[in-house]
Amino acid sequence: LEVYTDLAAFVENLAKPRRICLLVPAGKPVDAALTALGELLDQGDVIVDMGNEWYKMTEERQERMSKRGLLYMGCGISGGESGART
């Protein structure tokens, strides 16, 4: 098990094409994570958002990420990060 405190180092050490599962609170935290990750990922990499987000936001993010050649999928867990613990 490797632990990273630096996002760039984490992304750099993933096998390509990279596949990242994202589980942060819906809304601005997701957008902040996508902005940070979008600068580090390459075309063909995948982000799966496991949070519980409104489908319209998921569609907007899919469009935004596809312009960078990234695949963004919404695969929400009911209750988001809190629901994943129960």
Side-chain angles (χ1 to χ4, degrees):
L1 177 66
E2 293 185 47
V3 177
Y4 296 92
T5 58
D6 179 71
L7 185 60
F10 166 70
V11 169
E12 184 178 309
N13 282 286
L14 294 174
K16 294 182 180 181
R18 299 173 184 104
R19 296 161 304 274
I20 296 175
C21 290
L22 186 64
L23 184 53
V24 298
K28 291 180 183 180
V30 175
D31 291 325
L34 292 178
T35 297
L37 285 168
E39 296 173 4
L40 301 170
L41 297 175
D42 298 323
Q43 286 188 356
D45 290 342
V46 178
I47 301 171
V48 180
D49 182 358
M50 305 297 290
N52 195 14
E53 182 63 86
W54 187 49
Y55 77 99
K56 291 285 189 182
M57 292 301 299
T58 298
E59 291 173 351
E60 289 176 17
R61 291 176 180 133
Q62 286 173 331
E63 177 70 24
R64 188 170 71 226
M65 294 293 104
S66 71
K67 290 178 181 177
R68 295 179 174 211
L70 304 174
L71 177 60
Y72 175 85
M73 299 172 54
C75 185
I77 296 171
S78 183
E81 70 282 357
S82 298
R85 293 188 184 113
T86 59

